[in-house]
Amino acid sequence: MIGKNAELEAKSLRVQKLIERIENGAIKIPEFQRGYVWRHQQVIELLESISNNFPIGSLLLWEASNNEKLRSTRNISGINLPNLPDNHPVQYCLDGQQRISTLFGVFWEHTNNETNSQYNPDRDVFEVYYDLIDNCFIHNNNSPIDRNRFFYLRNLLNQDRLIDDLMTYYSDDREKANKVKELSSKFLNYEVPIIQISNRTINEVGVIFERINNTGIKLNTMDLMTAWTWDENFHLREEIDELLDQLYECYSFELDNSLILQISSAIINNSTSTQMILSTESSVFKNHWSKICESIKLAIDYITTNLLCKSSKFLPRKQLICGISYFYYHNPKPTAKQLDSLGAWFWISSFNRNYDGGRTTQKMDSDLTNIKKIIAGEKATKIENLKLTDDHLKKAVFSINNSLTRSFLLLQAQNHPIDLISGLKINIGDVLSNYNRSEFHHVFPDSFLKRNNVNKKDDRYKLLNFCFLSSSSNKKISSKAPTIYFNDLIEKNKITDILNSNMLPTETSIYSGDHYLSFIKKRSRITINAIENMIKGK
């Protein structure tokens, strides 16, 4: 046996003893654990395993020292249980929550003392009986139950209730009484393997949890922050969730809590690293929170209004919000010159694909340095050059999951494109707030290119071959060659305006001759010129 100060100790607990420890508040679930998710069949299978003396796997418990105790925990099975005094050790279940929640939910004597929580399981999942005729476990389906046939498991481990049931229902049926006694003995004597961790920090526990969790769910920074910085007067996760709801409702921006933490740390600590986030006290978040929220809202308002990005789905990279939020936190009333430089920084960062290829934290922190320079009056073009080339653009393939595609679509949106066929301005707000693949179409139709021996899909789906186009106009074009639909369907007196608004070459000979490669080459140059004009002198 390993000594009591060991960091890792293997032991076992009988089911009844495990239930008693949970009931006393000695075992809790960290807030970063997910809720109870088992269904009826999984509950039955666990009970069957124990009754057959099969292994059910070990539980992993972390015994925290007093200064490492978590400030935010949940009770097993969603049942309101006491908290131990501060000087008593508490064990947190890192692995095995579903199993111990099931055992406690099924066998705990009381059934009504529940807390109100999103993590609460459906209590019906714990209402289990043992069929003494068919020798199997079943759930009560809310119909009247024949207690002479079905034994209520909640009474199995309580000797007083067990004897009471034996006398009431099975005094005249020795076979059933013996089955109940045998079942009780199996559960009373079953030992659950326990691995207990002690003398570990919250960060170390986070790594352990991530590596052993058999659901494949990783423990993220928000999970650790919730458990470590919880304050009864300031619930960080709830505050962030409320902000995320507001951003979605007001701007159609669907962000995640990790990004909000990074933005907050950028503002508070001038760093987005996980280490800096975890070192931030709850009180510091609380003191800055109102202004952080306002800065994020100003940032997204700028993105939706000035850049016409009406949904987070079209933002080249969500990390760009961090730099813009930092800008507004330290500069809530920017000058026109500062806004011009901020816009140029956005386009340069987007088309240079600064966030492709990893090392996100370092890049976000680098952005903070650049944003400080912009606030100080420096031009974005003096901080970083545009690296996009004709070759990059001509090889790029259309994919909404690709940052270059989203940058290209946003750039087109700045020109307020006109539908090729209807001649009406495209409602960019609708298209970019509700992504619809049918609103983006080939200029040189896919079927036309196939007929002309452009065999590789990547060649037909070049990014530069796409523009905004309504589904109704696309149906009219169908698989027609450009030489046909440009002549028959596009209004001649509007054609130059239509082509310019879509950043398409205005040399009609390209379309009348169906010159696809010339089209790609010309449009690449038009695109780069458009970007350079957007950032020139800013």
Side-chain angles (χ1 to χ4, degrees):
M1 177 66 69
I2 301 171
K4 69 175 184 178
N5 292 322
E7 293 188 344
L8 201 64
E9 183 179 358
K11 58 172 78 172
S12 62
L13 278 179
R14 291 187 179 182
V15 171
Q16 189 172 32
K17 185 66 175 177
L18 181 65
I19 290 170
E20 288 174 3
R21 291 185 60 188
I22 295 170
E23 184 177 6
N24 293 333
I27 299 177
K28 299 282 189 180
I29 298 175
E31 187 67 36
F32 54 68
Q33 280 271 29
R34 273 51 178 185
Y36 186 85
V37 296
W38 270 16
R39 300 186 181 277
H40 288 65
Q41 184 56 35
Q42 290 165 295
V43 171
I44 296 298
E45 288 172 358
L46 177 69
L47 298 173
E48 287 175 344
S49 292
I50 294 176
S51 68
N52 287 307
N53 203 31
F54 293 164
I56 62 169
S58 59
L59 307 179
L60 183 63
L61 304 180
W62 168 44
E63 182 168 292
S65 60
N66 285 335
N67 64 341
E68 291 281 352
K69 281 187 178 180
L70 302 180
R71 301 171 193 171
S72 181
T73 60
R74 287 186 283 110
N75 288 307
I76 308 292
S77 306
I79 296 169
N80 196 13
L81 298 169
N83 291 317
L84 290 178
D86 289 342
N87 59 343
H88 283 241
V90 174
Q91 294 180 323
Y92 302 102
C93 180
L94 301 183
D95 189 41
Q97 178 204 166
Q98 308 300 321
R99 283 167 284 162
I100 62 172
S101 294
T102 297
L103 292 174
F104 188 64
V106 168
F107 291 113
W108 193 53
E109 299 172 27
H110 311 289
T111 59
N112 299 319
N113 193 15
E114 300 177 40
T115 57
N116 248 342
S117 167
Q118 60 177 315
Y119 300 102
N120 281 353
D122 180 355
R123 295 291 299 161
D124 288 344
V125 78
F126 300 135
E127 293 299 301
V128 185
Y129 292 79
Y130 187 76
D131 187 335
L132 295 167
I133 294 178
D134 291 340
N135 300 318
C136 62
F137 297 97
I138 67 161
H139 279 92
N140 180 14
N141 59 4
N142 295 320
S143 59
I145 203 91
D146 180 4
R147 295 295 302 278
N148 291 299
R149 172 175 175 173
F150 300 98
F151 181 83
Y152 189 32
L153 250 61
R154 200 171 299 283
N155 298 338
L156 190 67
L157 304 184
N158 182 300
Q159 289 301 303
D160 291 337
R161 291 189 179 186
L162 176 66
I163 292 171
D164 211 23
D165 278 6
L166 287 172
M167 296 295 293
T168 304
Y169 301 109
Y170 314 112
S171 58
D172 296 330
D173 194 326
R174 183 176 294 277
E175 183 181 355
K176 288 181 182 176
N178 286 337
K179 284 184 180 180
V180 171
K181 292 175 184 177
E182 183 182 356
L183 189 66
S184 176
S185 176
K186 286 179 179 178
F187 278 90
L188 284 169
N189 292 309
Y190 189 89
E191 295 195 346
V192 180
I194 306 286
I195 297 174
Q196 180 177 300
I197 301 170
S198 56
N199 299 325
R200 293 282 190 176
T201 67
I202 180 81
N203 290 343
E204 290 174 310
V205 168
V207 174
I208 293 169
F209 178 84
E210 180 178 321
R211 292 183 179 178
I212 57 85
N213 191 282
N214 57 15
T215 66
I217 298 171
K218 290 188 176 182
L219 184 61
N220 62 33
T221 307
M222 184 71 245
D223 298 326
L224 285 172
M225 285 299 296
T226 299
W228 190 234
T229 68
W230 185 83
D231 184 321
E232 63 181 16
N233 296 315
F234 182 75
H235 302 264
L236 182 60
R237 184 188 287 272
E238 292 178 11
E239 293 288 344
I240 290 179
D241 285 346
E242 183 179 346
L243 173 62
L244 292 176
D245 288 343
Q246 291 172 6
L247 297 178
Y248 184 74
E249 290 172 9
C250 297
Y251 302 101
S252 296
F253 265 61
E254 193 169 356
L255 306 180
D256 58 73
N257 48 37
S258 295
L259 179 61
I260 302 300
L261 281 176
Q262 288 175 310
I263 294 172
S264 301
S265 184
I267 289 169
I268 295 168
N269 304 310
N270 283 299
S271 173
T272 61
S273 72
T274 300
Q275 182 179 358
M276 292 303 296
I277 294 171
L278 291 173
S279 68
T280 308
E281 292 289 333
S282 176
S283 59
V284 178
F285 275 105
K286 182 179 179 181
N287 292 338
H288 288 79
W289 185 246
S290 178
K291 194 176 175 184
I292 288 172
C293 291
E294 184 60 27
S295 302
I296 294 172
K297 290 175 183 177
L298 286 171
I300 295 180
D301 188 66
Y302 170 82
I303 290 167
T304 57
T305 304
N306 292 50
L307 305 175
L308 301 180
C309 182
K310 303 297 183 179
S311 167
S312 54
K313 295 174 185 176
F314 283 91
L315 197 61
R317 289 292 182 184
K318 292 180 183 179
Q319 289 86 354
L320 293 166
I321 298 173
C322 182
I324 301 175
S325 299
Y326 186 89
F327 173 88
Y328 275 103
Y329 185 91
H330 294 286
N331 193 41
K333 295 182 179 179
T335 65
K337 181 181 176 182
Q338 288 170 325
L339 287 173
D340 283 346
S341 186
L342 181 68
W345 167 83
F346 174 87
W347 291 113
I348 293 169
S349 298
S350 298
F351 278 103
N352 283 354
R353 292 168 289 174
N354 285 349
Y355 282 97
D356 290 5
R359 298 179 65 242
T360 302
T361 299
Q362 294 94 319
K363 292 172 182 177
M364 291 176 80
D365 286 357
S366 177
D367 278 349
L368 302 184
T369 301
N370 293 337
I371 292 295
K372 288 177 189 175
K373 294 178 182 178
I374 289 172
I375 293 172
E378 195 164 338
K379 293 179 180 179
T381 47
K382 296 291 184 182
I383 298 170
E384 184 177 1
N385 295 320
L386 181 69
K387 300 182 180 73
L388 183 69
T389 66
D390 279 314
D391 195 46
H392 285 138
L393 266 179
K394 287 187 287 189
K395 289 179 179 177
V397 177
F398 184 96
S399 169
I400 199 60
N401 295 320
N402 181 285
S403 64
L404 185 56
T405 295
R406 296 194 295 270
S407 301
F408 180 67
L409 292 173
L410 271 186
L411 183 67
Q412 286 188 63
Q414 311 309 303
N415 275 12
H416 305 283
I418 299 170
D419 189 282
L420 291 178
I421 307 305
S422 71
L424 300 174
K425 279 193 175 182
I426 292 168
N427 190 327
I428 293 298
D430 284 349
V431 175
L432 294 189
S433 61
N434 300 297
Y435 168 58
N436 187 339
R437 175 65 180 79
S438 65
E439 301 297 332
F440 313 118
H441 288 287
H442 296 77
V443 179
F444 280 66
D446 183 42
S447 298
F448 162 77
L449 292 173
K450 281 182 181 177
R451 292 198 305 271
N452 284 270
N453 300 316
V454 182
N455 298 317
K456 291 183 179 179
K457 184 177 180 181
D458 283 359
D459 290 336
R460 301 193 305 273
Y461 275 73
K462 286 183 180 294
L463 175 60
L464 292 169
N465 191 29
F466 279 78
C467 70
F468 289 97
L469 188 67
S470 67
S471 56
S472 58
S473 292
N474 185 61
K475 288 175 183 175
K476 291 178 182 177
I477 293 174
S478 185
S479 61
K480 296 181 179 68
T483 187
I484 295 174
Y485 80 79
F486 265 73
N487 185 62
D488 296 346
L489 300 177
I490 299 179
E491 289 187 49
K492 301 296 185 294
N493 61 337
K494 287 186 176 182
I495 191 166
T496 301
D497 289 341
I498 290 173
L499 293 176
N500 281 330
S501 74
N502 285 283
M503 296 169 50
L504 295 170
T506 54
E507 296 93 329
T508 54
S509 59
I510 289 176
Y511 310 106
S512 61
D514 294 332
H515 298 307
Y516 182 54
L517 294 181
S518 295
F519 165 79
I520 294 296
K521 183 178 179 180
K522 288 279 187 181
R523 201 178 190 204
S524 174
R525 182 41 38 198
I526 289 170
T527 300
I528 290 180
N529 286 341
I531 302 167
E532 289 175 342
N533 288 333
M534 293 277 288
I535 66 175
K536 188 176 181 180
K538 298 176 183 177

